[in-house]
Amino acid sequence: MANYNGTTTLKSDCGYSSVRPEGPASEPLVWQAGRATSAAPGLFTPLVLPGLGAFQDGALRHNNPVNIALWEGSRIWSRDTQRDVVLSLGSGTGQDTTSPQKTPLRPTFKDGFIPRLCRSFLTSLDGELTWRHLLNHHLEKDAEHRYFRLNVQFGGQEPRLDDIGAMEKLSEDVNMSKNDQQLTEIKLALLASSFFFELKRAPKFDASGFYICQAEIRVRGDHTKVFMALRQMSNGPIEFHKEGVPLGKADHSTDVCSDCYRFRKKVCFFVRHPTEIIALTKTMDKSRRHISGFPQKTLWFTHEQHLADPFYSEETLSFSSQACLCLAVEEARAAGMVKRKLSSIHLPSDRKKRTKTLSSLE
């Protein structure tokens, strides 16, 4: 059950299905999704949603749904898109996932078929094993720093799902197992993923023998909240680098557009070829994290931004040197005048300096 359609069709042999309502009016509410995924068999009745069917806890097959999340991510974004942060939240574990110790004698009943079958079934429900399998078999070493898991090791025996009397003890276990260093790393990773990269034009071959890239580093959402959160962690400067080469510091006095009030840090650097994989990072104190989408090729950004299309050449945009292009595009889109290969757009404005003419703008 999801609230998106995805860019690709789900394969019939992928091992699971995606259920979508017929229209927006039938979209399940958040509490209904939570109620459905909490309907453990034998404890809670399934949730029946009209037009969609009956839903219950998916723990019998995917107690830790991280793999489904990664597969579905490939349906929303392309497979070659970098995942900035993967955060897995566990509900606690009390099982010993280490290998059993060899003993001289073992009770016959404990080694029987039914007890071993029960132990195997319970082990398959342990989300920690799913996470370890992902880290050990499906991730490159240079990608592990993007993956985080928060879970609680129970101090004693794992409580029953319907044991409401164990809530206070569970809260104590959470506080005792809290790792401040890990929480800081997660926060820094999430904040770094708020910064994204945007080419201003396709990389051009330069007389020096390299390709010159002119671009901007921007911020998703309200940049003031992002910088405020970073300042709460450190008062040091926020710097951007391309593989160790400084690209400049974040400066609100020069990097925030006076028209749209968005953060737009102008950067310029060279690459050997558009197919070269590069890494742009945000550095604060001694912490260095990749900004969103990196490592990646500049050619990938060229394709994603359609900069190689003929109508995205430098001559396609004509506007005042004092104008803010992002504001012009937004005004044109709001007025319903942004169309592919449109010959000319005159934007209405109550201020002369915000009047722009855009040609062949998508």
Side-chain angles (χ1 to χ4, degrees):
M1 181 169 59
N3 63 350
Y4 56 86
N5 294 320
T7 58
T8 59
T9 304
L10 193 66
K11 295 181 179 179
S12 58
D13 58 348
C14 69
Y16 67 97
S17 60
S18 178
V19 181
R20 296 287 292 119
E22 295 183 356
S26 303
E27 289 281 6
L29 302 177
V30 174
W31 74 264
Q32 291 175 319
R35 166 67 174 82
T37 192
S38 302
L43 296 176
F44 305 104
T45 58
L47 177 68
V48 179
L49 296 176
L52 293 177
F55 296 87
Q56 59 184 351
D57 186 9
L60 297 180
R61 295 186 61 186
H62 297 283
N63 200 23
N64 184 343
V66 61
N67 286 314
I68 290 184
L70 295 175
W71 299 334
E72 286 296 291
S74 298
R75 294 185 60 217
I76 301 175
W77 303 284
S78 59
R79 289 186 175 274
D80 56 349
T81 300
Q82 288 285 355
R83 299 178 179 93
D84 296 328
V85 181
V86 176
L87 177 59
S88 174
L89 302 178
S91 57
T93 178
Q95 298 183 21
D96 183 8
T97 56
T98 58
S99 300
Q101 300 296 320
K102 183 179 180 180
T103 56
L105 297 174
R106 288 176 62 90
T108 304
F109 176 76
K110 194 171 184 179
D111 285 333
F113 171 74
I114 294 180
R116 287 190 289 115
L117 182 63
C118 291
R119 290 198 300 271
S120 177
F121 172 73
L122 293 176
T123 301
S124 68
L125 300 181
D126 189 2
E128 284 299 308
L129 290 180
T130 303
W131 183 254
R132 294 179 188 180
H133 186 269
L134 172 68
L135 297 183
N136 293 335
H137 301 284
H138 298 285
L139 290 185
E140 300 292 338
K141 288 297 181 181
D142 58 353
E144 289 185 2
H145 69 282
R146 303 172 184 268
Y147 288 69
F148 302 92
R149 178 165 171 81
L150 296 175
N151 203 6
V152 178
Q153 183 73 39
F154 296 128
Q157 186 177 4
E158 183 175 347
R160 301 189 313 273
L161 290 177
D162 59 346
D163 186 5
I164 60 175
M167 295 301 295
E168 184 175 351
K169 180 62 169 59
L170 291 177
S171 179
E172 294 177 359
D173 289 341
V174 170
N175 291 327
M176 290 293 294
S177 63
K178 186 169 62 175
N179 186 332
D180 291 335
Q181 179 63 32
Q182 185 185 28
L183 293 176
T184 299
E185 288 298 320
I186 293 174
K187 186 175 181 179
L188 286 172
L190 291 172
L191 289 172
S193 69
S194 299
F195 295 89
F196 67 96
F197 177 82
E198 187 176 86
L199 283 170
K200 303 311 296 178
R201 56 184 58 84
K204 278 193 170 184
F205 188 73
D206 188 72
S208 62
F210 294 88
Y211 286 81
I212 184 171
C213 300
Q214 295 177 311
E216 289 181 345
I217 296 176
R218 305 185 61 182
V219 176
R220 295 187 179 96
D222 188 344
H223 70 276
T224 59
K225 294 182 179 179
V226 174
F227 281 98
M228 185 180 299
L230 289 171
R231 288 287 174 245
Q232 290 175 351
M233 305 181 71
S234 172
N235 290 323
I238 300 172
E239 301 176 288
F240 300 101
H241 293 82
K242 172 191 171 286
E243 297 166 341
V245 178
L247 297 178
K249 300 178 181 180
D251 187 349
H252 275 70
S253 62
T254 58
D255 297 335
V256 176
C257 176
S258 59
D259 282 328
C260 68
Y261 304 105
R262 288 186 173 89
F263 180 83
R264 308 172 73 94
K265 174 69 178 178
K266 292 180 173 60
V267 295
C268 183
F269 55 86
F270 292 91
V271 294
R272 295 181 180 87
H273 193 269
T275 58
E276 177 189 5
I277 297 178
I278 63 172
L280 265 61
T281 56
K282 176 199 69 67
T283 303
M284 187 175 66
D285 293 337
K286 296 182 179 180
S287 174
R288 176 173 295 183
R289 306 286 314 189
H290 291 108
I291 68 172
S292 182
F294 286 94
Q296 190 55 270
K297 307 171 185 177
T298 54
L299 182 62
W300 182 87
F301 290 96
T302 301
H303 288 164
E304 290 295 313
Q305 295 180 227
H306 302 281
L307 297 179
D309 295 352
F311 50 87
Y312 268 92
S313 62
E314 291 186 34
E315 291 74 21
T316 59
L317 298 179
S318 174
F319 55 95
S320 167
S321 60
Q322 303 297 322
C324 176
L325 177 59
C326 61
L327 186 61
V329 173
E330 289 179 2
E331 289 182 350
R333 183 177 291 111
M337 295 185 295
V338 178
K339 297 181 180 179
R340 185 181 294 269
K341 295 184 179 180
L342 195 61
S343 60
S344 179
I345 302 176
H346 295 278
L347 299 178
S349 176
D350 56 349
R351 292 190 302 170
K352 185 176 181 180
K353 74 170 188 175
R354 292 176 59 182
T355 302
K356 298 99 181 169
T357 300
L358 306 182
S359 301
S360 303
L361 179 66
E362 182 184 38

Coordinates of all heavy atoms in Angstrom, one line a residue, residues 1-6 18-34 36 47-53 55:
M1 N 0.8 -1.2 0.0 CA 0.0 0.0 0.0 C 0.9 1.2 0.0 O 1.8 1.4 0.9 CB -0.9 0.0 1.2 CG -1.8 1.2 1.3 SD -3.1 1.0 2.6 CE -2.1 0.8 4.1
A2 N 0.7 2.1 -1.0 CA 1.6 3.3 -1.1 C 0.7 4.5 -1.6 O -0.4 4.3 -2.1 CB 2.7 3.0 -2.1
N3 N 1.3 5.7 -1.4 CA 0.6 6.9 -1.9 C 1.3 7.5 -3.1 O 1.3 8.7 -3.3 CB 0.5 7.9 -0.8 CG 1.9 8.4 -0.3 OD1 2.9 7.8 -0.7 ND2 2.0 9.4 0.5
Y4 N 2.0 6.6 -3.9 CA 2.7 7.1 -5.1 C 2.5 6.0 -6.2 O 2.2 4.8 -5.8 CB 4.1 7.4 -4.9 CG 4.9 6.2 -4.3 CD1 5.4 5.2 -5.1 CD2 5.0 6.0 -2.9 CE1 6.1 4.1 -4.5 CE2 5.7 5.0 -2.3 CZ 6.2 4.0 -3.2 OH 6.9 2.9 -2.6
N5 N 2.7 6.3 -7.4 CA 2.6 5.3 -8.5 C 3.9 4.8 -9.0 O 4.0 3.7 -9.5 CB 1.8 6.0 -9.7 CG 0.4 6.3 -9.3 OD1 -0.3 5.5 -8.7 ND2 -0.1 7.4 -9.8
G6 N 5.0 5.6 -8.8 CA 6.3 5.2 -9.3 C 6.5 5.5 -10.8 O 5.5 5.7 -11.5
S18 N 2.1 -3.9 -5.1 CA 1.8 -2.6 -4.7 C 0.3 -2.3 -5.0 O -0.2 -2.4 -6.1 CB 2.7 -1.6 -5.4 OG 2.4 -0.3 -5.0
V19 N -0.4 -1.9 -3.9 CA -1.9 -1.7 -4.0 C -2.1 -0.2 -4.0 O -1.6 0.5 -3.1 CB -2.6 -2.4 -2.8 CG1 -4.1 -2.1 -2.9 CG2 -2.3 -3.8 -2.7
R20 N -2.8 0.2 -5.0 CA -3.2 1.7 -5.2 C -4.7 1.8 -5.3 O -5.3 1.0 -5.9 CB -2.5 2.3 -6.4 CG -1.0 2.2 -6.3 CD -0.4 3.3 -5.4 NE -0.7 4.6 -5.9 CZ -1.4 5.5 -5.2 NH1 -2.0 5.2 -4.1 NH2 -1.6 6.7 -5.7
P21 N -5.2 2.9 -4.7 CA -6.7 3.1 -4.8 C -7.0 3.7 -6.2 O -6.1 4.1 -7.0 CB -6.9 4.2 -3.8 CG -5.6 4.9 -3.6 CD -4.6 3.9 -3.8
E22 N -8.3 3.7 -6.5 CA -8.7 4.1 -7.9 C -8.6 5.6 -8.0 O -8.4 6.1 -9.1 CB -10.1 3.7 -8.1 CG -10.3 2.2 -8.2 CD -11.7 1.7 -8.6 OE1 -12.5 2.6 -8.6 OE2 -11.9 0.5 -8.8
G23 N -8.7 6.4 -6.9 CA -8.7 7.9 -7.0 C -8.2 8.5 -5.8 O -8.0 7.8 -4.7
P24 N -7.9 9.8 -5.8 CA -7.4 10.5 -4.6 C -8.3 10.4 -3.4 O -7.9 10.4 -2.2 CB -7.2 11.9 -5.1 CG -7.1 11.8 -6.6 CD -7.9 10.7 -7.0
A25 N -9.6 10.4 -3.6 CA -10.6 10.3 -2.5 C -10.5 9.0 -1.7 O -10.9 9.0 -0.6 CB -12.0 10.5 -3.1
S26 N -9.9 8.0 -2.3 CA -9.8 6.7 -1.7 C -8.5 6.5 -1.1 O -8.2 5.3 -0.6 CB -10.1 5.6 -2.7 OG -11.4 5.7 -3.2
E27 N -7.6 7.5 -1.1 CA -6.2 7.3 -0.5 C -6.4 7.0 1.0 O -7.1 7.7 1.7 CB -5.4 8.6 -0.7 CG -5.0 8.8 -2.1 CD -3.8 8.0 -2.5 OE1 -3.4 7.1 -1.7 OE2 -3.3 8.2 -3.7
P28 N -5.7 5.9 1.5 CA -5.7 5.6 2.9 C -5.0 6.8 3.7 O -4.1 7.4 3.3 CB -4.9 4.4 3.0 CG -4.8 3.8 1.7 CD -4.9 5.0 0.7
L29 N -5.5 7.0 5.0 CA -4.9 8.0 5.9 C -3.7 7.4 6.6 O -3.5 6.1 6.6 CB -6.0 8.4 6.9 CG -7.3 9.0 6.3 CD1 -8.3 9.3 7.4 CD2 -7.0 10.2 5.4
V30 N -2.9 8.2 7.2 CA -1.7 7.8 7.8 C -2.0 6.8 9.0 O -1.4 5.8 9.1 CB -0.9 9.0 8.3 CG1 0.3 8.5 9.2 CG2 -0.4 9.8 7.2
W31 N -3.1 7.1 9.7 CA -3.4 6.3 10.9 C -3.9 4.9 10.4 O -3.7 3.9 11.1 CB -4.5 6.9 11.8 CG -5.9 6.9 11.2 CD1 -6.5 7.9 10.5 CD2 -6.8 5.9 11.3 NE1 -7.8 7.6 10.2 CE2 -8.0 6.3 10.6 CE3 -6.8 4.6 11.9 CZ2 -9.2 5.6 10.5 CZ3 -8.0 3.8 11.8 CH2 -9.1 4.3 11.1
Q32 N -4.5 4.9 9.2 CA -5.0 3.6 8.7 C -3.8 2.7 8.2 O -3.8 1.5 8.5 CB -5.9 3.8 7.5 CG -7.2 4.4 7.9 CD -8.1 4.8 6.7 OE1 -7.6 5.3 5.7 NE2 -9.4 4.5 6.8
A33 N -2.7 3.4 7.7 CA -1.5 2.6 7.3 C -0.9 2.1 8.6 O -0.4 0.9 8.6 CB -0.6 3.5 6.5
G34 N -0.8 2.9 9.6 CA -0.2 2.5 10.9 C -1.0 1.3 11.5 O -0.4 0.4 12.1
A36 N -2.9 -0.8 9.9 CA -2.8 -2.0 9.1 C -1.5 -2.7 9.4 O -1.4 -3.9 9.5 CB -2.9 -1.6 7.6
L47 N -7.2 -4.8 9.0 CA -7.9 -3.6 8.7 C -8.5 -3.7 7.3 O -7.7 -4.0 6.3 CB -7.0 -2.4 8.8 CG -7.6 -1.1 8.4 CD1 -8.7 -0.6 9.4 CD2 -6.5 0.0 8.2
V48 N -9.8 -3.6 7.1 CA -10.4 -3.7 5.8 C -10.6 -2.3 5.3 O -11.3 -1.5 5.9 CB -11.7 -4.4 5.9 CG1 -12.4 -4.5 4.6 CG2 -11.5 -5.8 6.5
L49 N -10.1 -2.0 4.1 CA -10.2 -0.7 3.5 C -11.1 -0.9 2.2 O -10.7 -1.7 1.4 CB -8.9 -0.1 3.1 CG -8.0 0.3 4.3 CD1 -6.6 0.8 3.8 CD2 -8.6 1.3 5.2
P50 N -12.2 -0.2 2.1 CA -13.1 -0.4 0.9 C -12.3 -0.1 -0.4 O -11.6 0.9 -0.5 CB -14.1 0.7 1.2 CG -14.1 1.0 2.7 CD -12.7 0.8 3.1
G51 N -12.5 -1.0 -1.3 CA -11.8 -0.9 -2.6 C -10.4 -1.3 -2.6 O -9.8 -1.4 -3.7
L52 N -9.8 -1.6 -1.5 CA -8.4 -2.0 -1.4 C -8.2 -3.4 -0.9 O -7.3 -4.2 -1.4 CB -7.6 -1.0 -0.6 CG -7.4 0.4 -1.1 CD1 -6.6 1.3 -0.2 CD2 -6.7 0.4 -2.5
G53 N -9.0 -3.8 0.1 CA -8.9 -5.1 0.7 C -8.5 -5.1 2.1 O -8.6 -4.1 2.8
F55 N -5.8 -5.7 5.2 CA -4.4 -5.6 5.5 C -4.0 -6.0 6.9 O -4.8 -5.7 7.8 CB -3.9 -4.1 5.3 CG -4.1 -3.6 3.8 CD1 -5.3 -3.1 3.4 CD2 -3.1 -3.7 2.9 CE1 -5.5 -2.7 2.1 CE2 -3.3 -3.3 1.6 CZ -4.5 -2.8 1.2

